[in-house]
Amino acid sequence: MSLSSRFLRLVVLLTGLALGAQPSAAQTAPAPSQAAPNAPALSQHNPPPAKSAPAIIPGSPLAALTGAGANENDAKQTPAPFGTDEIGFALATVLGNEAGHTFAQFTDALKRSTRLTPVLSWMKSFTTQPQRRNNAAAIFAGLGIAFVPGVLLDLFVRFLLRQPMGFCARTAVPGTPRAETAQETEGLASAERGETEKRRWRSASLASVSRRLGFALLRFLLALLPLAMFGTFEQLCLNSGMIGTRAAHLAVVGLANAYLTARLAQEVLLLLLAPGAPSLRLVPMSTAHAKWTMRHALVVIITVFAEFSLISVAEILGLSKDGAGAVIRLAALIVNLEVAFIIWQSRRVVGRWMAGPPGAEGSMAELRRRLAKVWHVLAIFYVLAVWVAWAGGVRNALGTLLWAVLVVILALIIGRAAWKGGDMLLARLFPDSDSAAKPTTSTFKRRVRAYNPLIRFLIRAIVVALVVLLMLQGWGLDAFNWLLSNSVSWLLLNALFSILITVACAIILWEYFNYRIDRRIDRLNETGRTRHAARLRTLAPMLRAALGTVIIVATLIICLSRIGVNTTGLLAVSSVVGIAVGFGSQKLVQDLITGLFLLFEDAMQVGDVVTLGGMSGTVERLSIRTIRLRGGDGSINIIPFSSVTTVTNQTRDFSYAQISIMVRYEEDIDRVMAVLMEIGKQMRAEPAWGTMMRDDLQLFGLDSFDELGLVFAGQIRTGPGQHWSVRREFYARVQKRFKEEGIELPYRRQSLQLELPEEVIEHLGPELHDGQAKPDQPVQEKPGEAKDKS
């Protein structure tokens, strides 16, 4: 089967697929409308207007999304189903509406939960309710009697215990206390710049560690003594009866408990960080970082204590539950903002610690480096999202958001593993460039390697889609069930699957055609038909371009029909446009047709030396409409096929090296012919020149009588384009051989003869007779030489 017949079969197959994808007339034709009972009958002279074919195929995914093809009568009787209420993509509309509705509900709940109207009403009630004013005065008096003296007692006891605490710090490490290095005392600036720790770790014995821990615990116990005395003092004040009202009693108890909790948290942080006593520090960090951490932690502790005190006193004074809830949410917002600010300031320090050593390699090291760059964004988002969800009325907001974050992290880990696994599998099956130089690589793998970017893109798109579905499923949206049960999503998946199959079939057809062309060229070369192989190799780009255009157009038509576009009108419009373009570009059409005929007639091939369009050179490339000709001076000439009327190919089938040799008239003709024939036989006997010379020298004999000598003519038949090399070599050997044989090659020479008067000759006398010529004997000229007289 010839290549042209295979090409026609492929075209017929693709055309059949394209026509098969079109809906039949029964499917696309609109149903005839039923006339109303009272409607007047139309006359034969006024037939009903013919309805054009719909632009969108009914029942297709595009019809489901845009609502095209819906029956008007059904629309009047029943509510519009999903996707048929308006023009546009209903899926995006519904999703947008649902998202907007959910966001509106959430913002309404957030506004209701943070509304300060009850707080304002409560504050105004102090002017109308004397009892609340009396309770407020009693609370302030009780705090002045019990709470404030207790705080002063705590401060005084802590002042007295400075010496014992200092003794613990000095005794924890035996010997002279080590002077802190510049790195440990450079302050908060280093922490904000994100400089990593460069401490010199020293080996510590069990005894030194036990000693440090013991003195740290001893200092902690000493720090608890002021708290114990504060609590005892508050209890004595409450039992003494100095605080008579219940409101004052409750306020003192609440603030005392809050103060004890805050102070205990402070002492626990001092036990771990010990910013003023490095010898007692249990957490390995520099003094600057310890002070920075302690300072920000105290800010948060003080904020929580102050907010708790205000809210508890307000509730004792009659603040309603809604008002207390709004104040609590605003107070929590302040704490969350402080935590977010601390995270932002410590992003570089924590990021350097999370990134690990700079030279670490491996997947875990790469994961740590990536996480170190974005950890603060995730942490700030989580801190603020927890408050938003809690303020919006989400139950167990902390656990819910924690589960959502874990679902995202798990989905990203699975997606990353699938991403890397797909790349590794593709690299193992079809390496990009490593196997390009290996001769054992099969043609199939080399061809598939060209589609690695497309395959990699499809794999990554599928991985991204699965990651998103896993996230939605983990958040409780039941995405998989929606995709499989929803009619629109099912149609979209079906259309997408059909498009992928169509594109895969088109790629297979394209690769099969290319494989057959390459295989045909290889077989022609193997059987020695190099001329046919070169011709097919010249036509291959044009055949590939034609088939590629047919495949792309057919694939595009099938894909459009699968998503619901009626391609009948599109084909008609494209045909009209094609005809218009053809009339408008007659020169281009002439180039194409002329080029096709020249190529099919095998007038020239790539590598031939031709003369066309008034230019000569080597054919470098043949496109569908132009010839790229390389001139003898290296210039590039682009010649359209329409300007080619005559092609002179100097390298087709064989060539003749034309021989023309001139010798003097005195030479022997038979001897000259014998020497020339011998030179031709010697060249034919040598392997290098014998492969170029297809015949011996054909010496025609004496061809003409020239002004300078005898001209002998002949020719040597050579391979295509090899006559120039053979003729140059033959002429070089003729010059050397004639020199050895004494055969002279004529060339033009001039001589000068002077005729002097007799008196001049007599006057010169002997000097003239001593010369080479005598006055009565002119200079002799050799035959064939020119003679000028003056």
Side-chain angles (χ1 to χ4, degrees):
M1 184 181 296
S2 63
L3 187 63
S4 59
S5 61
R6 291 195 183 97
F7 176 73
L8 291 176
R9 286 194 174 189
L10 289 175
V11 173
V12 172
L13 176 61
L14 290 173
T15 306
L17 290 174
L19 294 177
Q22 304 298 326
S24 62
Q27 294 174 345
T28 58
S33 61
Q34 298 178 358
N38 298 327
L42 295 175
S43 63
Q44 296 180 357
H45 299 285
N46 297 319
K51 294 184 178 180
S52 60
I56 299 177
I57 301 173
S60 63
L62 195 58
L65 291 174
T66 59
N71 195 336
E72 297 179 357
N73 297 329
D74 295 340
K76 295 178 181 178
Q77 297 175 1
T78 60
F82 172 78
T84 61
D85 54 346
E86 59 182 5
I87 299 298
F89 288 94
L91 180 62
T93 304
V94 169
L95 292 178
N97 292 336
E98 289 294 333
H101 182 65
T102 303
F103 183 75
Q105 289 181 345
F106 185 80
T107 52
D108 290 340
L110 190 62
K111 290 179 181 179
R112 288 195 302 269
S113 63
T114 56
R115 187 176 296 129
L116 296 178
T117 304
V119 180
L120 297 177
S121 301
W122 170 75
M123 295 177 66
K124 291 179 181 179
S125 66
F126 280 92
T127 60
T128 59
Q129 297 183 11
Q131 183 61 34
R132 288 189 177 179
R133 292 198 300 270
N134 296 333
N135 290 336
I139 289 174
F140 282 111
L143 293 178
I145 294 172
F147 184 75
V148 175
V151 173
L152 295 177
L153 178 62
D154 178 25
L155 295 176
F156 179 71
V157 176
R158 289 176 61 190
F159 176 75
L160 294 178
L161 294 176
R162 284 193 309 168
Q163 294 297 331
M165 290 182 180
F167 173 77
C168 293
R170 291 190 301 270
T171 315
V173 178
T176 305
R178 178 178 59 89
E180 294 184 355
T181 61
Q183 180 184 359
E184 293 178 343
T185 57
E186 65 180 342
L188 180 59
S190 63
E192 293 181 349
R193 288 195 302 268
E195 297 180 0
T196 56
E197 294 290 335
K198 298 181 180 179
R199 300 186 63 192
R200 181 178 301 175
W201 294 97
R202 298 175 298 173
S203 59
S205 62
L206 181 60
S208 61
V209 172
S210 302
R211 185 185 183 92
R212 177 191 295 266
L213 181 59
F215 279 99
L217 293 177
L218 178 59
R219 182 187 179 282
F220 179 70
L221 293 176
L222 291 175
L224 292 181
L225 289 178
L227 295 180
M229 297 186 69
F230 171 81
T232 303
F233 178 79
E234 295 298 323
Q235 191 64 38
L236 291 175
C237 292
L238 292 173
N239 295 335
S240 63
M242 290 184 296
I243 302 174
T245 62
R246 185 173 183 273
H249 187 276
L250 293 176
V252 171
V253 172
L255 267 65
N257 291 331
Y259 183 79
L260 288 173
T261 305
R263 285 280 291 111
L264 182 61
Q266 178 187 3
E267 294 301 333
V268 171
L269 288 175
L270 289 174
L271 171 65
L272 298 176
L273 302 178
S279 59
L280 298 177
R281 191 173 303 141
L282 301 181
V283 177
M285 64 170 54
S286 64
T287 301
H289 292 166
K291 291 181 179 180
W292 182 88
T293 306
M294 189 66 193
R295 182 166 58 251
H296 285 79
L298 285 178
V299 171
V300 176
I301 291 173
I302 293 173
T303 303
V304 173
F305 168 73
E307 291 172 349
F308 176 81
S309 301
L310 292 175
I311 294 171
S312 63
V313 171
E315 285 185 322
I316 294 172
L317 293 177
L319 182 62
S320 63
K321 185 177 181 180
D322 293 339
V327 176
I328 289 174
R329 289 180 177 85
L330 292 178
L333 176 60
I334 295 174
V335 175
N336 284 27
L337 291 176
E338 289 180 354
V339 174
F341 180 73
I342 294 172
I343 293 173
W344 176 258
Q345 279 195 330
S346 61
R347 66 189 185 279
R348 295 177 180 174
V349 176
V350 179
R352 295 288 180 88
W353 172 76
M354 295 179 64
E361 297 180 356
S363 58
M364 185 57 66
E366 181 66 21
L367 179 62
R368 291 182 61 178
R369 284 191 289 267
R370 290 179 180 273
L371 186 61
K373 295 179 180 179
V374 298
W375 79 271
H376 59 282
V377 178
L378 301 177
I380 293 174
F381 172 78
Y382 181 76
V383 169
L384 298 180
V386 166
W387 181 86
V388 171
W390 174 63
V394 178
R395 294 182 179 180
N396 192 17
L398 184 63
T400 302
L401 283 180
L402 181 60
W403 170 251
V405 172
L406 291 178
V407 166
V408 171
I409 294 175
L410 182 62
L412 291 177
I413 292 175
I414 295 175
R416 182 63 178 176
W419 187 296
K420 285 292 186 181
D423 290 345
M424 293 176 62
L425 181 63
L426 188 62
R428 182 179 295 272
L429 294 178
F430 311 109
D432 288 328
S433 59
D434 294 338
S435 62
K438 296 181 180 179
T440 57
T441 305
S442 62
T443 305
F444 173 75
K445 288 188 176 182
R446 288 196 299 268
R447 297 296 303 179
V448 174
R449 189 170 56 242
Y451 295 95
N452 276 357
L454 177 61
I455 299 174
R456 188 178 292 108
F457 171 77
L458 292 177
I459 292 175
R460 293 179 176 179
I462 294 173
V463 168
V464 171
L466 290 178
V467 167
V468 173
L469 291 176
L470 286 176
M471 291 180 183
L472 296 177
Q473 192 74 23
W475 292 344
L477 297 181
D478 198 9
F480 288 101
N481 188 23
W482 180 84
L483 283 177
L484 298 178
S485 60
N486 188 273
S487 59
V488 176
S489 63
W490 181 255
L491 287 175
L492 290 175
L493 290 176
N494 189 17
L496 180 61
F497 186 69
S498 301
I499 290 173
L500 290 178
I501 292 179
T502 303
V503 173
C505 292
I507 292 175
I508 292 174
L509 283 176
W510 169 255
E511 290 300 327
Y512 176 76
F513 183 79
N514 285 301
Y515 170 75
R516 296 302 303 175
I517 289 179
D518 295 338
R519 185 59 181 165
R520 180 66 177 173
I521 293 174
D522 294 339
R523 287 183 178 178
L524 291 175
N525 287 324
E526 291 173 358
T527 55
R529 292 181 290 178
T530 57
R531 188 70 187 177
H532 296 80
R535 179 184 179 185
L536 182 57
R537 189 180 295 108
T538 303
L539 292 173
M542 303 183 68
L543 295 177
R544 288 191 176 99
L547 181 68
T549 303
V550 173
I551 290 177
I552 290 174
V553 171
T555 303
L556 183 62
I557 291 174
I558 296 174
C559 293
L560 290 176
S561 64
R562 292 306 302 166
I563 64 175
V565 177
N566 194 345
T567 56
T568 304
L570 183 62
L571 290 175
V573 172
S574 62
S575 300
V576 174
V577 172
I579 294 174
V581 171
F583 277 110
S585 56
Q586 296 182 9
K587 195 68 174 178
L588 177 62
V589 175
Q590 183 181 358
D591 290 338
L592 298 178
I593 295 176
T594 306
L596 288 175
F597 278 106
L598 286 176
L599 292 176
F600 278 114
E601 290 175 358
D602 199 15
M604 71 189 78
Q605 294 179 2
V606 175
D608 288 351
V609 179
V610 297
T611 300
L612 46 87
M615 299 180 182
S616 299
T618 305
V619 179
E620 282 195 347
R621 185 175 178 272
L622 294 172
S623 66
I624 198 170
R625 59 172 297 271
T626 59
I627 304 169
R628 183 173 179 176
L629 202 65
R630 175 76 66 176
D633 57 351
S635 60
I636 287 292
N637 304 300
I638 307 299
I639 304 172
F641 279 116
S642 60
S643 62
V644 178
T645 56
T646 303
V647 178
T648 302
N649 197 328
Q650 304 179 33
T651 55
R652 179 56 55 89
D653 297 334
F654 60 88
S655 301
Y656 282 111
Q658 301 294 334
I659 305 299
S660 179
I661 304 295
M662 181 185 297
V663 298
R664 292 174 52 196
Y665 280 99
E666 288 81 1
E667 301 296 339
D668 186 3
I669 296 177
D670 295 333
R671 182 184 174 208
V672 171
M673 294 179 62
V675 171
L676 294 176
M677 291 298 295
E678 185 178 353
I679 294 174
K681 291 180 179 180
Q682 289 177 355
M683 289 184 62
R684 184 74 187 280
E686 296 179 4
W689 299 104
T691 55
M692 298 183 184
M693 299 171 59
R694 298 188 176 181
D695 292 326
D696 292 333
L697 170 64
Q698 298 179 8
L699 189 59
F700 302 140
L702 182 61
D703 185 64
S704 63
F705 295 95
D706 193 77
E707 180 183 0
L708 300 179
L710 305 174
V711 179
F712 293 85
Q715 68 181 14
I716 302 175
R717 195 162 70 98
T718 66
Q722 298 173 349
H723 54 289
W724 293 294
S725 301
V726 172
R727 183 169 58 187
R728 285 192 292 267
E729 179 65 19
F730 185 82
Y731 281 168
R733 298 195 180 199
V734 165
Q735 196 275 338
K736 295 178 181 178
R737 184 65 181 276
F738 278 10
K739 187 175 181 180
E740 295 175 358
E741 297 290 338
I743 301 175
E744 295 185 9
L745 299 174
Y747 56 92
R748 292 185 179 275
R749 288 185 293 183
Q750 293 182 349
S751 61
L752 183 62
Q753 181 178 2
L754 298 176
E755 294 182 356
L756 301 177
E758 293 294 335
E759 58 273 12
V760 175
I761 294 173
E762 293 177 357
H763 177 72
L764 292 177
E767 296 180 358
L768 182 61
H769 293 282
D770 293 339
Q772 295 181 354
K774 296 181 180 181
D776 57 348
Q777 294 180 354
V779 178
Q780 298 293 329
E781 293 183 353
K782 295 182 180 179
E785 294 180 349
K787 180 178 180 182
D788 294 337
K789 296 182 179 180
S790 61

